[in-house]
Amino acid sequence: MAASVSCHYFSSPLTTSTKSIKPKLNYSHFAPALSKGSIRHFVPLCSSQRSLPSESECQDKEKDWFLSLKKCAAAVALSVSLITGLPGSQWLSPAHASIPALPDVSVLISGPPIKDPGALLRYALPIDNKAIREVQKPLEDITDSLKIAGVKALDSVERNTRQASRALKEGKTLIVSGVAKSKTDHAIELLNKLEAGLGELQQIVEDRNRDAVAPKQKELLNYVGGVEEDMVDGFPYEVPEEYQNMPLLKGRATVDMKVKVKDNPNLEECVFRIVLDGYNAPVTAGNFIDLVERHFYDGMDIQRADGFVVQTGDPEGPAEGFIDPSTEKTRTIPLEIMVVGEKAPFYGETLEDLGLYKAQTRLPFNAFGTMAMAREEFENNSASSQVFWLLKESELTPSNANILDGRYAVFGYVTENEDFLADLKVGDVIESIQVVSGLDNLVNPSYKIAG
C-alpha cells in the first residue's frame, strides 16, 4: 500500500501545452475537437443557427465596455487553453446565466457552493439521515469561521462546536438507527470518538489555540464521514443491463498517484490521494480502477497542463483510448451523470439533452482537483481512458454555475496535495497509480482475465 506523502510547494509558472491547436475565432459557442497528439481541447466554432448573443450584442448588453472586452478575452483564452474533452457549450450572456446545470450544494446548504472535496464526498453519499447531517454542517462551517482574522474566529468556532455537540446529543439515537445493522458497532465506536473529540475541540477554543482548530476539525469530520458511510447498506440501485458486465465500482475506492516532476529542482515528486465515487459513477470509476490495476497509466506523461486543467490517458500510437486485448477494440464507456433527487445516474445523455437545465449534479465541478473523463465532442459515450482534473475557476467555469456540470462525468476528487496539481507540467511522468483501499468494491474486473 502506497503511503501518501507531503509535497513541498514552490510556486512556478505553468507550462502551456505545445500540442497543436487550430482555433477558428468566433465567440458564439465552444466545442471540443479531438485529434491524436493534440489532446482534446476547446475550439471556438462558427454557428449561425444557434440563438446566441453575437459579439456586438454582448457588448451592447454590457454597460461597461471594458468589462465586456475582458469577458470576451477570457472566453477566447479559455477556448484555446482548455483540454480536449471539455464540454461543447455556448457562451452565455448575463441574461442566460441561470441556465447551466447547477452543482449539488445539499438541502442543508443555501450559501456559497461547497468547494472542499471531503465535504462534497460526504454530501454525495446515498443516505437520508437528517440527524447526522445536522452534526456535520456546523463542523463544515468551521472552515468559514476560520476565515475571520485572528482569534476572533474562535468565537464563531465555539458556536459551531456547541451546535454540533447539541445536535449529536439530541440526535444520537436517530443516527444509530440509520446505520446498517452489520456496521452498528463500528458506527457507535466512531460516534464515541466524535463526542470525545468535540470536547477536545471545545477545550482548544477555550485555550484560544487557533492553529489547532483545523486539524481537529478534519479529524472530527472523518469520524462523521465514517458514520455516514456505515449508513450505506449495500449498493443502492441496479446499473442498466447493457452496462452490467463492465467493470463496476460499487462503492468507493482510494488511489495514490505518484508523479515524477521534471525540470523543477524544488519539487521532485508528489503523491496525490484521490477518492473515487462508485456510488454516483459506478461505470466510470470502475473503468478507471480496472485500468489502474492493468498499470495502464504507469509511466505515462502528463499530456496537458495549461493552468485550467491537467490531463493524461492518451496512449502511444494511433489509438485515443484503451485497446482491450480481448477484443482488440477501444473500450468505451457511457456518459454517466447522477442528479440530486434521482435514485440512479442518467446514461448516454447530457442534462441539456434531457432538458434538465437547472438540475443539480451529485458530483459537481466545484473542487480544485475535480476528476472527470474526457470524451469526443459529439459522442457522449466515447470516453475511454483520458482523464482530466479541473484546476481553477474562470469566467466560464465558476463553481455553482459550471458549464461542465451535467456534460462530463465526474467520478472523484483529489483529497490530498491537490494544490500541487498546478505545479505539474507537460512531460511530468506518472510513476504509478496504486489502489489504497476499496478494490473489493470492484466487480467484473477485466484485468484478471487473461489477455
Side-chain angles (χ1 to χ4, degrees), residues 372-446:
M373 295 297 299
R375 63 173 176 82
E376 301 259 7
E377 175 190 355
F378 298 113
E379 178 49 63
N380 292 340
N381 298 336
S382 61
S384 178
S385 60
Q386 295 194 41
V387 299
F388 67 91
W389 294 269
L390 185 68
L391 297 188
K392 70 175 184 178
E393 299 178 20
S394 73
E395 297 214 14
L396 294 183
T397 59
S399 294
N400 219 23
N402 198 309
I403 64 172
L404 308 187
D405 286 327
R407 296 177 176 91
Y408 286 79
V410 174
F411 63 102
Y413 296 98
V414 181
T415 60
E416 293 184 19
N417 295 325
E418 62 270 23
D419 290 345
F420 297 97
L421 285 168
D423 287 319
L424 299 185
K425 304 180 297 301
V426 173
D428 290 342
V429 178
I430 299 173
E431 292 188 340
S432 66
I433 304 181
Q434 296 184 354
V435 180
V436 175
S437 64
L439 186 59
D440 55 333
N441 291 326
L442 181 67
V443 300
N444 308 325
S446 74

Side-chain angles (χ1 to χ4, degrees), residues 28-172:
S28 59
H29 85 285
F30 302 99
L34 173 63
S35 60
K36 182 65 181 178
S38 65
I39 307 300
R40 298 176 177 87
H41 52 270
F42 269 126
V43 176
L45 302 177
C46 299
S47 177
S48 59
Q49 298 178 347
R50 292 179 180 258
S51 57
L52 300 168
S54 67
E55 182 180 0
S56 61
E57 288 173 337
C58 288
Q59 292 173 342
D60 290 341
K61 290 182 180 180
E62 295 290 348
K63 294 181 179 181
D64 188 327
W65 179 86
F66 180 77
L67 179 60
S68 175
L69 183 61
K70 179 181 177 182
K71 288 187 175 183
C72 289
V76 176
L78 180 62
S79 69
V80 174
S81 299
L82 271 171
I83 62 168
T84 335
L86 293 185
S89 174
Q90 60 194 33
W91 184 56
L92 299 172
S93 70
H96 295 82
S98 62
I99 291 179
L102 300 177
D104 173 25
V105 294
S106 170
V107 294
L108 293 174
I109 305 299
S110 58
I114 300 171
K115 299 183 181 182
D116 177 73
L120 289 167
L121 288 163
R122 285 186 286 273
Y123 281 120
L125 283 166
I127 64 172
D128 182 19
N129 188 288
K130 184 178 179 181
I132 190 64
R133 295 301 197 195
E134 288 179 344
V135 177
Q136 178 187 347
K137 187 178 184 300
L139 291 175
E140 303 280 10
D141 289 345
I142 289 175
T143 300
D144 289 330
S145 296
L146 290 176
K147 294 177 182 178
I148 301 173
V151 295
K152 290 183 179 180
L154 296 175
D155 295 334
S156 183
V157 172
E158 184 173 18
R159 288 192 293 272
N160 299 143
T161 304
R162 289 179 176 175
Q163 184 180 353
S165 297
R166 183 171 58 254
L168 177 59
K169 182 178 179 180
E170 295 175 353
K172 191 170 184 178

